[in-house]
Amino acid sequence: MRRIFSGVQPTGNLHLGNYLGAIRNWVRLQSEFEDCLFCVVDLHAITVWQDPGQLTANTREVAAAMIAAGIEPERNIVFNQSQVPAHAELAWILACVARMGWLNRMTQFKEKAGKDKENAAVGLFAYPVLMAADILAYQATHVPVGEDQKQHLELARDIAQKFNNDFGVAFFPAPEPLIFGAATRVMSLRDGTKKMSKSEASDYSRINMTDDADAIAQKIRKARTDSDPLPTGTAGLEGRPEAANLIGIYAALADTTPEDVLARFGEKQFSDFKQHLAELAVAKLGPIQDEMRRLLADPGHVDRVLARGAERARALAAPVLSEVRRIVGFLGPKGS
Ligand code: AQP
């Protein structure tokens, strides 16, 4: 059995990096795998403060973006994490398997907690354990992610293996990362060495999935670049992170390679290229945004899709959790 699990946090400002690095790849994978679970990971979102009303709205927005991008909720399991208690239950058990030293090495915690580590939520530190539980609760075999999640996925593999070793079972498969596509790491429009991120303070650093055509064009026009014209080959992008990022975004949106983009725009000025990039971004994102708006006008429908997905997810996770409880030695009614 080949089963996919992947998620996006409903932390607001869903952006082009989330789309190109994750959601668009899921659309392609849904026809290649028997089972796909696509999750709005709201339990992960609250590892940093979320306004409750905003969290609800952001959860619907991420679900709408997935569906608008082409994920079919009838064919896949689309749900929000908190509706399936198995995630939190398994996370606790796995937190007792994972080692502090392993989590201490996670770079995302260091980045997000910053200098004020003492004041970070315990949940932020334990985030990768919950991510392991998300995947293992369904015995998922493949996890499509962007580059930034690679380390967390390696940890999920280590946790799965340690659980199997500790209890002398061959229960959890080691989940494989699927990192593919032309945009595994979309960078900030303000700094080509930082990834495009929801939590970056400057809105000009990212293209949000809710930005209108004017905002997209303005952000691309204002995107940081150097003063040289575009090179004619990818070797000329060396040491030019902002140029490399914009070329990469164009290539990903046009479904082509950076070489092809440079064959067309090499020696041109950024002003000219940016205009083409803005037109392409608007043409590709516009229909998705229209569909998102249509879906969000009927929140009851989105909520029903998530509720139905959660019901199916609970049914898949139930036998896995039941077996985990038996393996660990928890007493309970047979078959619970
Ligand atoms: N810049 C990016 N380029 C490519 N892929 C990306 N992803 C995130 N940023 C980029 C991928 O999107 C999926 C969902 O990410 P997430 O919602 O779990 O949040 P994150 O990885 O922590 O990324 P964000 O959007 O930057 O949020 P904040 O600012 O809150 O950290 C994942 O598959 C991720 O790889």
Side-chain angles (χ1 to χ4, degrees):
M1 183 218 42
R2 285 162 21 107
R3 177 177 288 166
I4 278 190
F5 179 94
S6 203
V8 176
Q9 298 185 74
T11 38
N13 302 327
L14 192 70
H15 55 74
L16 187 66
N18 300 133
Y19 173 63
L20 292 176
I23 297 174
R24 191 178 68 159
N25 292 342
W26 301 355
V27 177
R28 294 174 182 182
L29 290 168
Q30 66 183 343
S31 51
E32 290 170 29
F33 283 76
E34 300 90 79
D35 277 334
C36 295
L37 294 111
F38 297 124
C39 188
V40 187
V41 287
D42 47 10
L43 296 177
H44 282 279
I46 61 164
T47 55
V48 294
W49 170 251
Q50 303 297 321
D51 171 81
Q54 203 54 53
L55 179 65
T56 310
N58 290 338
T59 301
R60 291 192 182 114
E61 186 180 294
V62 172
M66 289 181 190
I67 301 165
I71 289 168
E72 296 166 39
E74 305 76 33
R75 190 159 143 194
N76 307 290
I77 300 181
V78 176
F79 68 109
N80 60 313
Q81 191 185 21
S82 61
Q83 293 206 56
V84 184
H87 292 253
E89 183 183 350
L90 185 57
W92 178 258
I93 295 169
L94 297 183
C96 300
V97 173
R99 305 288 95 179
M100 290 290 288
W102 298 359
L103 289 172
N104 271 329
R105 286 194 283 276
M106 295 297 110
T107 53
Q108 185 171 295
F109 175 73
K110 290 180 195 154
E111 279 162 24
K112 290 203 170 175
K115 291 199 178 75
D116 200 8
K117 236 166 68 175
E118 292 296 310
N119 209 21
V122 174
L124 187 65
F125 185 71
Y127 179 114
V129 178
L130 178 59
M131 180 165 157
D134 298 338
I135 300 162
L136 299 176
Y138 305 99
Q139 294 183 310
T141 54
H142 293 80
V143 185
V145 282
E147 281 283 349
D148 60 321
Q149 291 297 330
K150 207 170 147 196
Q151 193 186 34
H152 286 167
L153 205 67
E154 277 160 13
L155 185 84
R157 292 168 63 89
D158 290 344
I159 294 174
Q161 197 179 25
K162 185 164 186 299
F163 179 94
N164 290 347
N165 288 347
D166 286 355
F167 293 100
V169 291
F171 185 63
F172 287 127
E176 292 288 338
L178 288 175
I179 301 176
F180 69 97
T184 53
R185 197 166 166 82
V186 177
M187 309 309 275
S188 157
L189 299 181
R190 306 302 289 164
D191 178 350
T193 63
K194 282 194 193 150
K195 77 164 188 153
M196 186 176 285
S197 154
K198 300 193 200 93
S199 51
E200 166 62 48
S202 167
D203 201 46
Y204 278 94
S205 67
R206 65 183 158 259
I207 294 175
N208 297 313
M209 291 305 284
T210 48
D211 283 342
D212 63 18
D214 287 345
I216 293 175
Q218 199 188 23
K219 286 179 178 180
I220 291 176
R221 214 169 31 246
K222 289 195 175 224
R224 183 167 156 190
T225 48
D226 50 49
S227 50
D228 293 337
L230 285 162
T232 50
T234 47
L237 292 173
E238 199 86 0
R240 300 178 67 185
E242 283 83 17
N245 188 36
L246 293 182
I247 295 294
I249 292 174
Y250 191 106
L253 285 170
D255 248 320
T256 180
T257 59
E259 285 81 5
D260 275 347
V261 181
L262 289 175
R264 181 170 166 203
F265 292 103
E267 287 172 350
K268 293 233 162 57
Q269 296 298 326
F270 274 105
S271 51
D272 187 14
F273 170 69
K274 281 175 165 181
Q275 205 171 332
H276 285 91
L277 177 57
E279 279 164 21
L280 178 65
V282 170
K284 293 286 176 178
L285 299 181
I288 300 172
Q289 294 172 324
D290 291 345
E291 183 58 11
M292 271 176 80
R293 269 189 290 275
R294 198 186 66 77
L295 287 162
L296 290 171
D298 182 2
H301 171 71
V302 177
D303 295 0
R304 281 190 295 279
V305 167
L306 292 175
R308 171 76 190 117
E311 196 181 308
R312 293 166 64 198
R314 282 194 296 271
L316 273 189
V320 179
L321 264 290
S322 167
E323 189 55 15
V324 167
R325 284 184 216 111
R326 193 197 61 76
I327 291 170
V328 172
F330 290 153
L331 187 68
K334 274 216 165 71
S336 72

